[in-house]
């Protein structure tokens, strides 16, 4: 079933049909294992937050939405941390000490994006007043670098967890699966 040719039927819509490719590419073992690791990364990777005494103050609604936002990023092919995950990382840092203007703009912009995604009317009204509508190119670069750094740390942490947990000899299942379900 992996090598199906797909043809799009014309139902009279105003779009051109997608042509079926002549050569069907077979997925390799590496592609399959990458998919499995990416899926595990979305669901089982630890949430990376700024090390602070305030790291327990992140709201539960933000933490609960991180897995879904990771899956959405993965589906789009984005190899960075999600905006929700980046917001959760930055939140404890904001309680420590005042931040530079660029980072304050990034943090409030992330809050605005979170409020727009979750359609929280009260949060959205508050965030539209204080958050910038758009980030500067420099701030976008800082945000991109932070998202890449969080993504790398998250995947390294998952690899470390998987190395610690061995495959059980009885059924061939990872020991971590008992903890996940």
């Amino acid at each position: 079933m992996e090598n199906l040719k797909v043809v799009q039927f014309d139902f009279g819509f105003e779009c051109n049909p997608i042509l079926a490719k002549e050569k069907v590419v077979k997925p390799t073992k590496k592609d399959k294992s990458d998919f499995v690791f990416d899926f595990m990364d979305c669901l089982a990777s630890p949430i990376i937050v700024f090390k602070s005494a305030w790291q327990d103050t992140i709201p539960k609604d933000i933490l609960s939405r991180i897995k879904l936002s990771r899956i959405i990023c993965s589906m789009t092919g984005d190899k960075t941390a999600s905006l929700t995950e980046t917001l959760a990382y930055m939140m404890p840092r904001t309680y420590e000490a005042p931040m530079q203007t660029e980072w304050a703009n990034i943090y409030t912009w992330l809050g605005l994006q979170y409020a727009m995604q979750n359609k929280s009317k009260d949060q959205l009204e508050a965030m539209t007043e204080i958050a910038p509508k758009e980030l500067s190119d420099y701030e976008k670069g800082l945000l991109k670098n932070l998202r890449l750094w969080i993504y790398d740390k998250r995947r390294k942490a998952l690899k470390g967890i998987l190395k610690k947990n061995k495959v059980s000899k009885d059924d061939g299942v990872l020991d971590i699966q008992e903890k996940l379900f």
Side-chain angles (χ1 to χ4, degrees):
M1 290 189 90
E2 296 178 24
N3 299 329
L4 295 176
K5 284 190 175 183
V6 179
V7 178
Q8 182 176 347
F9 293 107
D10 184 16
F11 292 106
F13 297 112
E14 296 294 324
C15 62
N16 295 327
I18 301 171
L19 300 175
K21 294 183 180 179
E22 293 299 320
K23 185 177 180 183
V24 177
V25 180
K26 280 182 124 178
T28 62
K29 278 188 175 182
K30 184 176 182 335
D31 293 338
K32 290 179 184 177
S33 67
D34 286 349
F35 171 77
V36 171
F37 184 75
D38 289 342
F39 194 65
M40 283 187 68
D41 178 38
C42 292
L43 298 177
S45 289
I47 297 171
I48 307 295
V49 296
F50 185 81
K51 296 286 183 203
S52 166
W54 296 96
Q55 64 192 26
D56 296 334
T57 61
I58 300 171
K60 289 185 182 3
D61 67 315
I62 291 177
L63 294 175
S64 66
R65 295 176 196 262
I66 287 178
K67 290 181 184 179
L68 178 62
S69 64
R70 285 178 180 174
I71 291 172
I72 292 170
C73 274
S74 177
M75 288 172 59
T76 60
D78 197 6
K79 300 286 186 190
T80 60
S82 67
L83 295 178
T84 307
E85 194 171 5
T86 309
L87 177 68
Y89 175 83
M90 288 185 72
M91 192 170 282
R93 169 57 184 91
T94 61
Y95 300 136
E96 287 289 316
M99 296 189 297
Q100 294 176 344
T101 305
E102 295 87 8
W103 288 108
N105 286 342
I106 291 169
Y107 180 69
T108 54
W109 183 81
L110 287 170
L112 176 64
Q113 301 308 308
Y114 178 78
M116 286 173 24
Q117 272 182 348
N118 300 306
K119 296 178 177 65
S120 174
K121 194 173 185 178
D122 297 332
Q123 288 177 346
L124 190 57
E125 288 177 14
M127 292 307 297
T128 52
E129 293 176 13
I130 60 172
K133 304 294 181 235
E134 192 174 318
L135 296 175
S136 69
D137 290 338
Y138 178 67
E139 292 167 345
K140 287 178 185 176
L142 290 174
L143 178 60
K144 181 182 176 188
N145 289 339
L146 178 62
R147 290 178 69 190
L148 287 170
W149 182 84
I150 294 170
Y151 181 80
D152 289 338
K153 289 291 182 186
R154 179 182 89 201
R155 290 178 70 91
K156 284 180 185 175
L158 179 62
K159 286 178 184 177
I161 291 169
L162 292 176
K163 283 181 183 178
K164 285 181 190 175
N165 293 296
K166 307 258 190 251
V167 174
S168 65
K169 294 177 185 174
D170 300 334
D171 56 2
V173 177
L174 283 175
D175 293 337
I176 191 173
Q177 287 182 342
E178 296 171 3
K179 298 173 191 170
L180 292 176
F181 299 105

